[in-house]
Every structure is written in C-alpha cells, then in structure tokens.
Amino acid sequence: MGLLSKIFGKKNVAERKGEPTMIYVPDEDERMNWAIEKANLTLWYFEESLIQPKPGQSYFSIKVRIIDGEIGEHIWLTEPSFDEYGNLFGIVGNVPVDVKTVKVDQKIGVDRNYISDWMIIEQGRLIGGYTIRAIRDGIPDADKAQFDESIGIYIDEGVDHFKVDLETPEGAILSLEKAYSNENLDAALSCKDFHEEAKVMLMAMKMDFDEEIISSTAEVLELSFINNLTEHGFPTFADLQNAFSVREKIDETHYVITEVCWFPDGGISIQKLNTYKSASGWKVLGPVNEEE
C-alpha cells in the first residue's frame, strides 16, 4: 500500500486531484488515450514478470476500470494475479472517489478487458505507469522534480516492451533493429516499404511525381539501403534499452514515432522515424526530415 499511499493518499482522497477517474477520456486528450493503449500493448511484459520476477523488480500494481451503473473509475490494485483464463485479481489500493461498489483493501476480480495501466518498480525506476507519466507530462517542467520526489520513484522515459513484430509501429522498429543486430538482410528488408518511403520523400521535396517516378525512386532507395549495409556493416542494437516516448498520428496508415535508446556504454540517442501500415503490417520508412 505504501507506494499508492504516496501517489494518491490512502486516507486523503483529495490528494488524487488530477487522477483520471472516469472511464470516458475526452478525444482531445490524446496523451491519456495513448497511455492506456500503450499499457495494453505492453501488458504481456507485466504478466511474464509477475509470474517470474526479474532481478530488481520490487513492486507490481495494475490499474482497472471499475463500473458502478453509469459511473466508472480507474482504480489501482495491489498484489495482482491472473487465473488460468486471464482474469485479474487484486486488492483495491486507493480510496474510490466515484464508485461505491468497491472499497479500499477489498480483494476483487476483474475481466482483463478493463485493464487500463500497469506499473513495475525496477531498481527504483518506474516501468510502465503510463497514465502516471501522462499526468506528469501535463504539469510544468519546474514541478516535475517535486512530483517525482513526492512519490519516491525515478521517472524517465522508462523502458517499453512492445512485441517484436509488425503489428504496431513500435514493433516494426524493434523488428528492424533485431534484423540489424542479427545481420539478417532479408529480415531487414521485410521491415521496409521503399515504395511508400519514396512517396514520402518526394512529397517532402514538393515536386511533381507520378507512379513511374515513385517506382524508380523506390528502386534507388532499396539499392542504397542494401549497399550501405553491405559496405559499412549492420548497426548493432544488442543490449540496449528502448522507450517510445511519442506516437504522432499523421493519418490512419502513417505514424511518426519518437524512439529513445540507452546504449550499454551510457550513450543516449533520440530519433524520429516514419512508419507506414502496409497490407503486410507496419513498416519503417526512415528518419523524419525535421524540415518536413
């Protein structure tokens, strides 16, 4: 209970001011919507860690939506566990404000479809906790240090654990980086869409083009990609940690993803990458031209 008491206050519910309590999140609050979506996309890591905790993992909690008639509220549960059907069980960890069907310290069971966030403390660092990060991102920079100190958690960009596949833009980036680390050219090519990359590049150049120009440009881009890896070798992404701090929606098939990487030697890199949803999954188009 200690950590949640620091964050929300077990007795003084007024301390939860700013906590997103209702199920409905306004469409314009993209930050909170993305936080909830991100939590569900990375939930597999929480479940695996809960079954077999990794070194340094000292705290597990999960947030769920509790329904009371037409009212809903997001509540943190401590001592979480899942049954064989994936249903969640835990102890209500903060005093409900709007719903009356549950109370603090009560053990409850919840369908996994109502999960809205999770968090793990790894060596004093917050992993997950995406709705907490969304709240923190909304306060002035000058107040962030005080916020962190008040809850006793080290909060940086965190480490994200998207599945390494083409089902999400972030997963496509991780797939490409895995292909690089494995020095697998075919796998790297499967993460790319040079035709769409050519279109994006030509549009950024504000020049007239047709399908023939797109195709010829795509051929040049693919050849350049292959030659660069052949001549200069594959970049390595082994043993680094990733966080995807921003997902910017351009349209339904085009997202710009901001990735933060921590390398074993202590180096940090931040890059923005264009991604595209093709018929065969999300693809990585390449770095964003900041002048676009």
Side-chain angles (χ1 to χ4, degrees), residues 4-262:
L4 291 180
S5 296
K6 286 183 178 181
I7 299 174
F8 306 122
K10 178 179 177 181
K11 296 181 180 179
N12 184 4
V13 296
E15 294 182 23
R16 289 180 61 208
K17 183 178 180 181
E19 169 69 358
T21 57
M22 302 302 292
I23 289 179
Y24 174 72
V25 178
D27 290 338
E28 62 268 24
D29 192 353
E30 295 182 5
R31 184 190 299 119
M32 190 60 68
N33 286 335
W34 169 228
I36 294 173
E37 182 180 356
K38 196 173 185 181
N40 279 276
L41 289 171
T42 56
L43 181 61
W44 70 273
Y45 177 78
F46 179 88
E47 294 186 75
E48 287 193 359
S49 298
L50 192 61
I51 295 171
Q52 188 172 0
K54 299 174 176 59
Q57 292 182 334
S58 58
Y59 184 87
F60 294 85
S61 187
I62 197 161
K63 182 186 276 187
V64 297
R65 298 183 309 236
I66 304 296
I67 307 297
D68 183 0
E70 296 182 355
I71 297 175
E73 183 174 351
H74 290 259
I75 299 287
W76 284 99
L77 304 182
T78 61
E79 301 181 29
S81 64
F82 291 89
D83 66 12
E84 59 183 310
Y85 303 105
N87 297 309
L88 171 67
F89 296 86
I91 297 174
V92 176
N94 49 275
V95 179
V97 173
D98 299 307
V99 301
K100 307 302 180 184
T101 52
V102 298
K103 59 184 180 180
V104 70
D105 294 335
Q106 177 183 352
K107 185 171 183 178
I108 63 173
V110 183
D111 186 292
R112 66 185 295 113
N113 292 323
Y114 292 101
I115 294 172
S116 56
D117 200 3
W118 59 267
M119 65 174 170
I120 301 174
I121 305 303
E122 292 186 1
Q123 299 177 339
R125 182 187 192 188
L126 178 65
I127 305 300
Y130 296 112
T131 58
I132 295 175
R133 297 177 188 279
I135 295 169
R136 181 179 182 271
D137 289 344
I139 65 178
D141 289 342
D143 297 331
K144 284 183 170 62
Q146 182 179 356
F147 178 89
D148 298 350
E149 183 178 354
S150 69
I151 62 177
I153 307 175
Y154 172 53
I155 303 179
D156 56 8
E157 289 84 354
V159 177
D160 292 330
H161 296 278
F162 287 87
K163 290 186 176 180
V164 184
D165 56 31
L166 303 182
E167 295 299 312
T168 64
E170 297 79 11
I173 294 170
L174 291 173
S175 297
L176 179 59
E177 292 172 353
K178 180 180 178 180
Y180 285 155
S181 296
N182 292 338
E183 298 187 1
N184 188 329
L185 179 58
D186 289 338
L189 289 171
S190 71
C191 299
K192 301 286 292 180
D193 187 317
F194 295 103
H195 185 272
E196 189 65 25
E197 185 173 347
K199 286 175 59 178
V200 170
M201 186 184 74
L202 292 168
M203 285 189 291
M205 295 171 64
K206 298 183 177 3
M207 60 179 294
D208 295 330
F209 58 88
D210 54 20
E211 186 59 36
E212 183 178 352
I213 294 176
I214 295 173
S215 296
S216 60
T217 303
E219 290 178 5
V220 172
L221 288 173
E222 181 172 6
L223 182 60
S224 176
F225 179 79
I226 294 172
N227 287 343
N228 183 63
L229 293 178
T230 302
E231 295 176 9
H232 302 289
F234 290 79
T236 180
F237 289 83
D239 301 321
L240 60 74
Q241 295 181 325
N242 310 67
F244 298 94
S245 55
V246 181
R247 178 193 275 191
E248 180 185 356
K249 180 179 178 180
I250 306 303
D251 56 45
E252 293 297 331
T253 60
H254 183 192
Y255 286 157
V256 172
I257 305 299
T258 300
E259 179 189 28
V260 183
C261 296
W262 290 269

Side-chain angles (χ1 to χ4, degrees), residues 193 276-283:
D193 187 317
Y276 170 71
K277 188 175 184 179
S278 71
S280 58
W282 285 91
K283 307 291 184 177

